[in-house]
Amino acid sequence: MFRISLNNLIKRQIHGNAEIIENCKEIINRNPRNLERLRIARKPIGYALDARETAFWHKLEIYTTQRNIITEIHHFENGPVITVSSKEWGIKKQLYSTRDVIAFKFVGRVLAQRCLESGISEIYVNNSIAVGSKVQLLLDTLSENGICLKEPERYKVPKPGILVHPEKPWEIYE
C-alpha cells in the first residue's frame, strides 16, 4: 500500500544548525528591538540644555485627568508603543470609578500584561512621576507583575588595558 524507498530516506536526512549556518550568506534580523534586548543599542543622551531627559529606550508616562487615567509606554524614536486607559470599555466596565485606587491598580495590571506580551520587561520611570500614593500603587503593581522599573545600562566595549571586563549580556554563565 504505502512504500518508502531507501533513496527517499537518504535524501531526507535531518541536518543540524551548523550546516545551515555554514551555508548562510546573509542574516536578516526581523526583530527591531533585538539590539535593545542585548543592551547594545544606542541610547540617545540628548543635549545638556534639553528640558526633558532622553536616556531611555522605553519610558512610562502617566496622565491623569478629572475622570480617567492614561498610561503610555514611549519608545525614544517611535513615540507611544503601548497605551492603557481607564476610558477603554473593557476596563471601564469592571470599575466602580475610573479614578480611584482600584482603577490605578487595575490599569497597572493591564499595562504590565500588555508590556510582557509585547516583549518589554524593563522600562524607565522618571523619579518625579511617583508623586502620589495612587501612582506609587500603580508602580508597585507593575513591579509585582514582572516589569522592572529601571532599564539596564548600555553595554560598552571595554578599552584595552582595563583589567575588569563587564559581563556580556548575550553570554550565559551557569
Side-chain angles (χ1 to χ4, degrees):
M1 295 197 185
F2 185 76
R3 289 187 188 177
I4 299 176
S5 66
L6 188 59
N7 291 334
N8 286 341
L9 285 177
I10 293 172
K11 289 178 186 176
R12 294 183 184 186
Q13 291 179 355
I14 299 173
H15 299 287
N17 287 339
E19 294 176 15
I20 295 172
I21 292 173
E22 287 175 5
N23 296 330
C24 184
K25 294 191 172 48
E26 104 181 21
I27 296 173
I28 298 172
N29 182 10
R30 294 184 183 161
N31 184 359
R33 306 280 187 259
N34 189 33
L35 296 177
E36 295 170 6
R37 298 285 297 158
L38 290 174
R39 295 183 7 209
I40 56 177
R42 181 184 67 84
K43 267 188 187 181
I45 56 173
Y47 296 101
L49 298 176
D50 279 347
R52 59 188 178 118
E53 190 172 346
T54 58
F56 61 86
W57 288 309
H58 296 100
K59 182 180 180 181
L60 175 68
E61 294 284 338
I62 301 173
Y63 306 107
T64 55
T65 63
Q66 291 181 356
R67 294 187 181 187
N68 298 309
I69 310 154
I70 302 167
T71 58
E72 295 178 343
I73 302 293
H74 282 264
H75 188 262
F76 75 96
E77 286 180 338
N78 303 334
V81 180
I82 300 170
T83 303
V84 178
S85 173
S86 60
K87 287 191 280 189
E88 296 177 17
W89 182 82
I91 297 174
K92 188 181 196 181
K93 187 84 170 163
Q94 302 293 324
L95 298 173
Y96 177 73
S97 170
T98 58
R99 199 165 144 84
D100 62 349
V101 176
I102 302 299
F104 274 86
K105 188 168 180 118
F106 199 73
V107 166
R109 191 177 300 159
V110 172
L111 181 67
Q113 179 184 358
R114 289 183 186 175
C115 284
L116 292 176
E117 286 174 356
S118 64
I120 299 172
S121 58
E122 297 106 4
I123 56 175
Y124 169 76
V125 178
N126 196 354
N127 292 335
S128 65
I129 202 170
V131 177
S133 61
K134 292 180 183 179
V135 175
Q136 186 61 42
L137 183 67
L138 187 137
L139 295 177
D140 292 341
T141 305
L142 283 173
S143 61
E144 286 171 6
N145 289 309
I147 302 295
C148 182
L149 299 178
K150 182 180 178 190
E151 282 189 338
E153 290 294 320
R154 182 176 175 256
Y155 175 77
K156 295 178 185 170
V157 179
K159 295 180 182 177
I162 296 177
L163 298 177
V164 179
H165 293 288
E167 181 180 325
K168 295 177 182 172
W170 55 87
E171 291 181 354
I172 300 172
Y173 301 104
E174 289 186 19

